[in-house]
Amino acid sequence: MTTGDNGNSSNFGSSGSSGSSGRSLQRLRAPRATRTNAVHPGAWWVWALGLGTAASRTTNPLLLALLVGVAGYVVAARRTEAPWARSYGAFVKLALAVLGIRLAFAVVLGSPVPGTHTLVTLPELPLPDWAQGIRVGGRVTAEGLVFALYDGLKLATLLICVGAANALANPARLLKSLPGALYEAGVAVVVALTFAPNLIADVQRLRAARRLRGRSDTGLRGLLQVGLPVLEGALERSVALAAAMDARGYGRSAEVPPGVRRTTAALTLGGLVGVCAGTYGLLTAEGGSYGLPVLLAGLAAALGGLWLGGRRSLRTRYRPDAWGVRAWLVAASGAAVAALLILYASYDSATYAALHPGVVPLTAPTLPLWPAAAVLLGLLPAFVAPAPAPALQDPGKEPS
């Protein structure tokens, strides 16, 4: 009896501890995404721009491949079934096309990098005197191709990071979060974004209707007979949308003093120039000293201009998106990746060389430990952001 009591108490203790640990794990696990707990779209853009900034600071193909893998894993883990989430594949294809074009230019037009390992010698096209400095054909070296590969891979990684932000951030919610000064521009972008999908849906509907009636929907005649009704419907929809927007007060603004308007314009334009100059400084190796101060000053001026410009807006915002703890974690992970790689590149010449493997002479790239660990911080959104709801399966479709 004593043994049984001890055993029962032991079982109760283990079940209690396992239950408490299970509840702790349940609390740490990311919840299902809903309308109220979804990550702010601005946080996804900050995360993706952080990865893109890190990609711009290195030409090491191993680090760039790691950045692509991190972006792809987060997209695969947190992408929804929304239409904009399908744009990631298009950005990957665009990145591969850019990489191929960069290599083709290096083969056809040559490379400024000198090399001794000749792969092939193409027939060189003679050019007039006014085209001096341009070469078509000639010697193709391994050093030039490797340099073009590193350069194109960096640009391709930037495109993939932008594609990840497009796939994860809801564009309508992002535009709704814009400040009041950008409200009218946001409305124009929303209308433009919804125009193309409606146009494609009209074309598909008309082509299906023609096929059901036994008529051809291909060729020039079919294109005209489908295109004219589509354009007519688009114009009618545009007129109806304009009337609805006017009835709801779009385009109307409050009166503000002239001094406020001039101050708003000066702060906004000056801030945008500062942001562009600071971003250029951060993306180039020579502007690392002045890039961050100019960027911060430009951001402060632009935010001040947007705040003053918001006084002209009379609208209210329905259910504004909250920037919660998970949004801060998502944004901080991307910013940490960018900051750590910038600090690592500016430490000394050896760390800089680890981020930029040499091509003359040809050397095999190595994976530096600390930058690789910093890049892995970008995986944090895959664990802290709310998980998307599973897609609804067709009951008539058998599981594969």
Side-chain angles (χ1 to χ4, degrees), residues 177-186 256 260-272 275 298-313 315 317:
S177 303
L178 289 175
L182 301 178
Y183 174 63
E184 296 178 3
V256 294
V260 175
R261 290 203 300 270
R262 288 192 288 269
T263 305
T264 302
L267 286 176
T268 305
L269 292 178
L272 291 178
V275 169
L299 279 176
L303 291 177
L306 293 177
W307 178 74
L308 282 178
R311 298 174 61 180
R312 298 178 68 243
S313 178
R315 69 189 178 93
R317 187 170 299 170

Side-chain angles (χ1 to χ4, degrees), residues 6-380:
N6 292 337
N8 291 338
S9 62
S10 174
N11 291 336
F12 288 151
S14 60
S15 62
S17 61
S18 62
S20 61
S21 61
R23 286 192 294 272
S24 301
L25 291 175
Q26 187 69 23
R27 283 195 295 268
L28 293 176
R29 190 176 301 167
R32 289 289 180 193
T34 60
R35 175 61 183 81
T36 57
N37 66 354
V39 174
H40 196 284
W44 286 120
W45 273 101
V46 172
W47 167 79
L49 292 178
L51 296 186
T53 303
S56 68
R57 307 300 294 187
T58 179
T59 56
N60 191 321
L62 301 178
L63 282 177
L64 293 174
L66 189 61
L67 281 167
V68 171
V70 167
Y73 181 81
V74 175
V75 170
R78 291 298 180 261
R79 182 171 60 176
T80 63
E81 296 295 328
W84 61 82
R86 303 168 190 165
S87 63
Y88 184 71
F91 275 91
V92 172
K93 294 177 183 176
L94 179 62
L96 293 177
V98 167
L99 183 59
I101 291 173
R102 182 67 180 88
L103 290 175
F105 276 16
V107 171
V108 176
L109 301 179
S111 174
V113 177
T116 57
H117 298 80
T118 303
L119 297 177
V120 65
T121 301
L122 300 176
E124 190 166 355
L125 182 67
L127 296 176
D129 295 337
W130 55 267
Q132 289 183 354
I134 302 176
R135 182 172 65 88
V136 178
R139 197 164 58 95
V140 180
T141 63
E143 289 85 351
L145 275 184
V146 171
F147 177 77
L149 175 65
Y150 289 174
D151 198 35
L153 190 58
K154 182 169 70 172
L155 184 56
T157 306
L158 286 171
L159 287 173
I160 289 176
C161 293
V162 174
N166 273 281
L168 295 171
N170 187 337
R173 288 179 53 204
L174 181 64
L175 292 173
K176 192 182 73 171
S177 303
L178 289 175
L182 301 178
Y183 174 63
E184 296 178 3
V187 171
V189 173
V190 169
V191 171
L193 289 176
T194 55
F195 175 76
N198 291 332
L199 200 65
I200 294 173
D202 288 347
V203 171
Q204 293 175 345
R205 187 174 64 252
L206 287 173
R207 293 185 64 184
R210 288 184 62 83
R211 286 194 297 268
L212 289 175
R213 293 170 184 166
R215 300 175 183 174
S216 173
D217 59 338
T218 58
L220 182 59
R221 186 176 180 182
L223 179 63
L224 291 176
Q225 292 182 351
V226 170
L228 290 178
V230 168
L231 290 179
E232 183 181 357
L235 288 176
E236 291 178 353
R237 191 181 300 113
S238 300
V239 172
L241 177 63
M245 293 170 66
D246 182 68
R248 288 166 174 80
Y250 284 91
R252 299 171 189 171
S253 59
E255 289 293 336
V256 294
V260 175
R261 290 203 300 270
R262 288 192 288 269
T263 305
T264 302
L267 286 176
T268 305
L269 292 178
L272 291 178
V273 172
V275 169
C276 293
T279 305
Y280 177 78
L282 286 178
L283 294 179
T284 57
E286 294 80 7
S289 58
Y290 69 87
L292 186 59
V294 173
L295 177 62
L296 294 178
L299 279 176
L303 291 177
L306 293 177
W307 178 74
L308 282 178
R311 298 174 61 180
R312 298 178 68 243
S313 178
L314 299 174
R315 69 189 178 93
T316 59
R317 187 170 299 170
Y318 177 64
R319 291 199 304 184
D321 291 319
W323 190 291
V325 177
R326 297 184 186 277
W328 280 112
L329 291 175
V330 170
S333 65
V337 173
L340 290 176
L341 255 71
I342 291 174
L343 291 176
Y344 186 83
S346 59
Y347 187 68
D348 58 18
S349 58
T351 57
Y352 182 83
L355 297 180
H356 299 82
V359 295
V360 181
L362 283 174
T363 55
T366 58
L367 183 64
L369 178 61
W370 290 109
V375 170
L376 292 180
L377 291 177
L379 289 173
L380 185 63

